[in-house]
């Protein structure tokens, strides 16, 4: 038992000795490199330096030489003290004082429109992002109208309850023509031949003051009076021809038939689109009919449909079109 314990102690002593020898060797190695760690890095030779950036040096010198002429802005004919702040903006090398009406930073919008009228109670705040080049396209109050829309309509871009007319967001996508073409072929003894070329072909011989139509069971026209006149034919030159005045019973509108010339009694239909906050199509509405703005319940009457615009009026409380005429442009 004693021999085993003695052997164990010898092993422990041997291991401890080896560790002590290793630690001493490491310290000796570290001390040999200590002197080198104190050496400073060698500086580069003058001949090894990179060439200076001459262009940058010239630019820097020119900047230092530049003289700036500062003129204090005027207010009511007096210069503003230097301890007062003035809203100045530099754009394309031009200085804009936004508290003055001219020059305008973002025409046609005025500087006062952008910065807000501080004389009001409460004072108006400046528009968000007023320094942005596209501030006119932004919508400060999220009411569906851009800042430029509100400037044009003279409404408040800071209040979502102050809106331009909603019809400003209505556009005519296209005018659809349903052609109805008639031609007076000739006449004899008070009877006249009238042909329909569109929508389908047909021909009738009718006297004056007799109602007639081209489709079975449909009476639409009536010839009122006729006379011969000298007209200018596109190929034959001056010639005698019948001119017949007639009435469209479906619309109660008079029209005229000239012998040999096509007359188009087209019915027009509008494809509209309401572009307020989102694009909402309005199905085809015929001339003389009404339509509503989607989601708003406001009803309008179409007076006239032209190729590039529609003329409409809102309905009054009596359900009839008001005298107000609004032109809706194609877009």
């Amino acid at each position: 038992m004693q021999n085993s314990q003695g052997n164990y102690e010898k092993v422990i002593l041997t291991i401890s000795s080896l560790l002590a020898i290793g630690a001493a060797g490491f310290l000796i190695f570290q001390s040999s490199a200590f002197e080198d760690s104190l050496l400073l890095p060698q500086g580069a030779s003058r001949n090894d330096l990179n060439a200076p950036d001459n262009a940058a040096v010239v630019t820097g010198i020119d900047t230092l030489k530049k003289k700036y002429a500062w003129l204090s802005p005027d207010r009511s004919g007096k210069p503003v003290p230097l301890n007062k702040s003035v809203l100045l903006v530099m754009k394309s090398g031009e200085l804009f004082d936004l508290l003055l009406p001219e020059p305008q930073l973002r025409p046609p919008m005025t500087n006062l429109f952008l910065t807000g009228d501080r004389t009001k109670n409460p004072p108006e705040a400046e528009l968000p992002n007023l320094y942005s080049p596209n501030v006119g396209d932004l919508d400060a109050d999220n009411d569906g109208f851009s800042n430029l829309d509100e400037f044009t309509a003279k409404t408040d871009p800071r209040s979502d309850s102050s809106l331009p007319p909603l019809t400003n967001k209505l556009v005519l996508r296209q005018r659809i023509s349903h052609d109805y073409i008639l031609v007076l072929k000739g006449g004899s003894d008070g009877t006249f031949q009238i042909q329909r070329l569109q929508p389908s072909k047909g021909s009738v011989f009718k006297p004056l003051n007799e109602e007639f139509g081209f489709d079975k069971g449909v009476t639409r026209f009536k010839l009122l009076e006729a006379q011969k006149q000298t007209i200018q034919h596109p190929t034959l030159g001056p010639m005698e021809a019948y001119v017949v005045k007639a009435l469209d019973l479906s619309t109660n509108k008079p029209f005229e038939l000239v012998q040999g010339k096509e007359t188009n009694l087209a019915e027009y239909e509008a494809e509209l689109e309401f572009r307020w906050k989102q694009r909402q199509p309005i199905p085809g509405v015929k001339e003389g009919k009404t339509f509503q703005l989607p989601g708003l319940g406001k009803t309008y009457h179409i007076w006239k449909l032209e190729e590039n615009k529609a003329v409409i009026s809102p309905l009054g409380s009596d359900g009839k079109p008001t005298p107000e005429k609004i032109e809706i442009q194609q877009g």
Side-chain angles (χ1 to χ4, degrees), residues 137-156:
D137 299 325
L138 304 180
D139 182 4
D141 52 8
N142 295 313
D143 61 0
F145 288 88
S146 70
N147 295 330
L148 182 57
D149 288 338
E150 302 230 31
F151 173 78
T152 303
K154 295 181 172 56
T155 54
D156 187 355

Side-chain angles (χ1 to χ4, degrees), residues 112-131:
L112 183 63
F113 179 82
L114 296 174
T115 60
D117 190 346
R118 307 299 171 84
T119 64
K120 289 185 176 180
N121 188 19
E124 289 182 343
E126 64 182 35
L127 287 182
N129 306 299
L130 72 87
Y131 307 110

Side-chain angles (χ1 to χ4, degrees), residues 183-194:
V183 59
L184 175 62
K185 299 298 291 184
S188 177
D189 298 329
T191 301
F192 301 91
Q193 181 186 7
I194 302 168

Side-chain angles (χ1 to χ4, degrees), residues 9 28 52 92 129 169 174 210 274 277 287 315:
E9 291 175 352
I28 292 171
S92 302
N129 306 299
K169 292 295 184 180
Q174 64 172 329
E210 182 178 319
F274 189 43
K277 297 186 177 181
E287 193 174 75
L315 296 190

Side-chain angles (χ1 to χ4, degrees), residues 70-71 73 75 86-90 95-99 131:
W70 169 255
L71 295 177
R75 291 292 182 276
V86 178
L87 187 56
L88 300 176
V89 178
M90 181 72 78
L95 197 63
F96 292 80
D97 184 344
L98 297 189
L99 297 183
Y131 307 110

Side-chain angles (χ1 to χ4, degrees), residues 229-241:
Q229 294 181 5
T230 301
I231 66 169
Q232 186 68 30
H233 193 277
T235 56
L236 302 178
M239 60 174 292
E240 289 287 316

Side-chain angles (χ1 to χ4, degrees), residues 74-79:
D74 286 342
R75 291 292 182 276
S76 301
K78 297 180 180 180

